[in-house]
Every structure is written in C-alpha cells, then in structure tokens.
Amino acid sequence: GAGVSQSPSNKVTEKGKDVELRCDPISGHTALYWYRQSLGQGLEFLIYFQGNSAPDKSGLPSDRFSAERTGGSVSTLTIQRTQQEDSAVYLCASSAPWVDQPQHFGDGTRLSIL
Amino acid sequence: SQQGEEDPQALSIQEGENATMNCSYKTSINNLQWYRQNSGRGLVHLILIRSNEREKHSGRLRVTLDTSKKSSSLLITASRAADTASYFCATDGPHGAGGTSYGKLTFGQGTILTVHP
C-alpha cells in the first residue's frame, strides 16, 4: 500500500517568508508525528497528533511554528517568518494508535532558507 | 534534546563482516526501536524491542536490551554493501490512557555504517 507522502520534497525560500509543508499519512493511521532533522541538532520531535485528542506541541521550537491535522488525515506544518536556522529536513511519520507500534516515515521536505 | 548516545559515530567494514552498534539512553522506556536511513530518504523501521524483552531477532538483525544499564545493541550479521546507511536508535516513553501509543520518539545521534564490497 501507499506509504507516508510528503510535499514538497524540496523548498527554497527567502528569510521572512511563510512556508507550508504537507504530510499525507498511511490510511488508517490515527497517530501522526512531525520531526526535524538538522546537522547540529539531530532528529528532534516537533508535534504529535493522536485521533481527536489535543496535539502534543511540546517540541515546537517557537510560536512561529504551527501544525494542523484536518479530518484526522492530512497534516500541514506551517512556519511563519522563516529564519535561516529553520533550514532542515522536516520528516513526517504515522503509526497505528496502539502501544508498541513502529512509525512509518515519509522521505521528508528539505527546507532551505536563503 | 537527544535521549542518548550511540557509538561508534561511524563504522567502516568489509562485506561479510558483522557490524555492532550500541545505544545508551537516560530515562525509563516502554520500548526501544532501531531505524535505518539511507542518504536523502526517510527512516525505515527495522526492529522494536519492548522493555520486558532482552533479545530479539529479525533476519540478519539481532537486538539486545539491558534496562539495568539503559543500553541496547544492534548486530548486523554477514553485512552487505546495501546495508550502508545511518542507523538510529529511538526510545518510546510512557504510554497514554487506554493503551494508546504516546509515540514521541527520542532519537540517538546515529551511527554511519559503510560496508565496502
């Protein structure tokens, strides 16, 4: 079946612009996660959605970052007023809601801020 | 922030040799997972070991977990050039109510494995 799909695969934008990154999880996976991978910080958790529960936003680095998940499926990560330190690969993953389930990752969006 | 550390940071071996990577973590866990990442791609799940398990096998992979030492190891036997990738351990903490997965993985820094043909 189809895996986790992320778009765009690459995004180059100027400092100060807003960007939207999209994630389409595996059908039936109610849990959805965003992570950021950068050379200096490694893989960092950003935000977690589980069904209709309030998301866990504890990993978002600043209030410029926000995420939505509409209809329990597609998710959008928005970064406002981008800064150069936002340059990274943004990875989305989804999983079944039960305990001890592996996460399935998309190939990520490589974001470059000029 | 990173949960733990992996060593070595880089490992270079010949095809056919075994590769061992180690992971240490700091807090209590419910499970520990290993992932592989090829250059420019997402992470691929390899194996999950629960906190009440000590060893698990999957094909050429063998994972051990020592919760008293808060450490795990991944052994890849009879390595192949196609095994060349970065390998990450990740820990999954306490679960939520009703048995739902908390799922917030905390990753190690990774080991870069190069297998020479």
Side-chain angles (χ1 to χ4, degrees):
Chain A
V4 176
S5 177
Q6 291 188 246
S7 61
S9 55
N10 287 282
K11 177 72 176 179
V12 181
T13 192
E14 294 178 347
K15 177 182 171 181
K17 301 286 189 183
D18 297 352
V19 294
E20 283 190 355
L21 313 179
R22 176 189 168 103
C23 173
D24 205 336
I26 292 173
S27 177
H29 281 187
T30 58
L32 186 147
Y33 318 81
W34 284 97
Y35 296 89
R36 179 170 70 174
Q37 186 174 28
S38 59
L39 282 175
Q41 300 297 321
L43 274 153
E44 304 172 279
F45 165 82
L46 296 177
I47 188 168
Y48 161 55
F49 295 90
Q50 174 58 279
N52 295 321
S53 302
D56 177 351
K57 304 179 182 180
S58 61
L60 294 179
S62 77
D63 58 9
R64 296 185 296 103
F65 287 72
S66 63
E68 290 185 339
R69 188 175 186 192
T70 54
S73 181
V74 171
S75 177
T76 302
L77 177 69
T78 300
I79 309 173
Q80 296 179 309
R81 306 180 303 281
T82 52
Q83 303 294 313
Q84 287 191 330
E85 60 264 28
D86 299 334
S87 295
V89 176
Y90 290 82
L91 293 164
C92 175
S94 69
S95 74
W98 309 286
V99 298
D100 299 332
Q101 295 296 307
Q103 294 185 18
H104 301 266
F105 284 78
D107 283 339
T109 293
R110 182 173 297 277
L111 178 64
S112 300
I113 309 300
L114 302 177
Chain B
S1 62
Q2 297 298 311
Q3 161 73 296
E5 299 177 358
E6 292 181 58
D7 79 275
Q9 291 187 343
L11 180 60
S12 182
I13 59 174
Q14 296 295 127
E15 252 187 339
E17 294 180 339
N18 295 342
T20 299
M21 290 160 264
N22 302 295
C23 168
S24 63
Y25 57 92
K26 299 174 183 175
T27 65
S28 62
I29 63 171
N30 283 92
N31 68 62
L32 185 143
Q33 304 177 35
W34 285 89
Y35 288 82
R36 183 187 76 222
Q37 185 178 36
N38 290 88
S39 181
R41 303 299 301 273
L43 281 76
V44 174
H45 181 262
L46 295 176
I47 197 164
L48 181 152
I49 186 165
R50 296 178 176 83
S51 59
N52 61 354
E53 298 175 314
R54 292 297 167 260
E55 188 170 314
K56 204 161 183 180
H57 297 254
S58 176
R60 294 184 296 114
L61 305 180
R62 172 177 169 257
V63 169
T64 62
L65 179 64
D66 187 335
T67 52
S68 66
K69 295 181 180 178
K70 291 187 168 59
S71 67
S72 174
S73 68
L74 170 67
L75 168 67
I76 304 174
T77 60
S79 63
R80 306 166 181 168
D83 295 329
T84 294
S86 293
Y87 291 80
F88 295 89
C89 67
T91 54
D92 185 2
H95 291 132
T100 56
S101 170
Y102 185 77
K104 175 182 171 181
L105 293 180
T106 306
F107 287 86
Q109 296 285 359
T111 294
I112 301 172
L113 173 66
T114 303
V115 182
H116 300 280

